[in-house]
Amino acid sequence: MVTNDKPRYQQIKDFIYQNIRDRHYKPHERIPTEHELSDKFQVSRMTANKAIRDLVKEGLLVRYPGQGTFVTDLKVESPLLEIKNIADEIRSRGHVHSSKVVKLEAVSATEQTALKLGVQEGETIFYSLIVHQENDQPLQVEERYVNATAVPDYLKQDFTATTPNEYLSKHCPLSEAEHVVEAIMPDESIQQLLHIESAEPCLLVNRRTWSTGQLISVAKLIHPGSRYKLRSQAVMAE
């Protein structure tokens, strides 16, 4: 029997949550039944049921009639319509953000990149390739082209101490954004950067951002499909 000052249903919630966090209960695995939990904590099945219902509402568990209650496929969730700094996003979960700068250089705009960024082909633009990590685990490959005229000091920044998103938001306040989301299979370079196998699909977010009507950057944000998901929420007019 587990005893402390918390309500019994909260003790059961904490017990289940701890086992999920420590991966004693893994995604898609069935957790103990209400009867087993009520016996363990010496409470009614109604109390065990309340704890499980709360965790279902929080998205940690899912119930299948006649089969039991299972751990959901836990993935990091990010808002799609909101331009959010990935470092803040990671810290909001109580985790540590770090980054590795793979490339940071001036390049000539190809025809395709020039069209997307709204510059002339052959014009000098800035390029960065950065891997963002959550608790030292790769979570996002950020490949970004930046309008050098609009952001002349981009290459001088230490992107292990700040993120491109944070820097650009301060110097070129966002006025408009475009997102295109697709599923892709990773090429060899992405597999190495994200530490994933070739068979694991990835989520690609193509993002363009404007400031006061001027295109500032074009980015590809690539995430391992097993560890990341996006959500979109819109308020509809009545």
Side-chain angles (χ1 to χ4, degrees):
M1 177 178 174
V2 179
T3 59
N4 59 38
D5 294 333
K6 293 182 179 180
R8 292 294 179 84
Y9 85 92
Q10 185 63 53
Q11 293 178 34
I12 298 174
K13 280 185 65 176
D14 292 346
F15 171 78
I16 297 172
Y17 177 79
Q18 182 73 34
N19 277 280
I20 293 173
R21 190 183 68 179
D22 294 343
R23 297 189 68 80
H24 296 308
Y25 301 157
K26 297 181 177 61
H28 309 297
E29 285 188 353
R30 188 170 60 184
I31 68 165
T33 65
E34 290 178 11
H35 179 73
E36 290 170 333
L37 289 169
S38 62
D39 281 351
K40 179 178 179 65
F41 288 86
Q42 298 185 8
V43 297
S44 68
R45 288 187 62 179
M46 184 179 298
T47 300
N49 178 271
K50 175 174 171 52
I52 291 174
R53 281 191 289 109
D54 283 0
L55 291 171
V56 169
K57 289 180 181 178
E58 292 169 19
L60 292 176
L61 300 176
V62 61
R63 294 181 120 164
Y64 295 112
Q67 298 182 47
T69 305
F70 296 78
V71 179
T72 56
D73 185 6
L74 299 175
K75 300 179 182 180
V76 173
E77 184 177 274
S78 176
L80 174 57
L81 300 181
E82 181 182 358
I83 303 295
K84 195 170 183 180
N85 179 24
I86 190 168
D88 292 338
E89 189 178 311
I90 289 171
R91 293 180 191 122
S92 73
R93 295 191 283 269
H95 295 167
V96 177
H97 169 267
S98 60
S99 59
K100 294 182 178 179
V101 179
V102 181
K103 287 186 180 180
L104 183 61
E105 59 190 9
V107 298
S108 295
T110 64
E111 179 181 3
Q112 184 178 18
T113 304
L115 183 63
K116 292 180 179 179
L117 194 54
V119 299
Q120 296 295 317
E121 182 180 357
E123 183 175 333
T124 298
I125 57 175
F126 297 146
Y127 173 76
S128 58
L129 180 64
I130 298 171
V131 180
H132 296 281
Q133 301 179 127
E134 182 169 5
N135 291 345
D136 294 324
Q137 184 177 46
L139 184 66
Q140 181 191 90
V141 172
E142 174 189 335
E143 183 178 29
R144 187 182 296 269
Y145 292 95
V146 176
N147 186 323
T149 303
V151 198
D153 293 330
Y154 186 78
L155 298 185
K156 298 178 182 179
Q157 307 312 307
D158 178 5
F159 288 124
T160 63
T162 187
T163 66
N165 174 286
E166 185 175 27
Y167 174 74
L168 293 173
S169 295
K170 288 180 180 178
H171 290 80
C172 302
L174 178 72
S175 61
E176 185 180 350
E178 172 190 88
H179 294 95
V180 178
V181 182
E182 58 185 307
I184 63 169
M185 298 306 296
D187 60 24
E188 187 174 349
S189 64
I190 295 300
Q191 293 168 37
Q192 293 175 353
L193 292 172
L194 288 177
H195 300 171
I196 58 175
E197 300 296 328
S198 60
E200 178 168 347
C202 291
L203 189 66
L204 166 63
V205 179
N206 295 284
R207 176 182 292 169
R208 294 200 296 172
T209 53
W210 286 258
S211 180
T212 61
Q214 183 179 23
L215 257 169
I216 300 299
S217 76
V218 176
K220 287 185 176 182
L221 311 174
I222 305 173
H223 316 83
S226 63
R227 299 196 295 268
Y228 203 85
K229 66 180 178 179
L230 291 164
R231 62 178 167 84
S232 175
Q233 183 176 3
V235 178
M236 306 302 292
E238 294 183 358

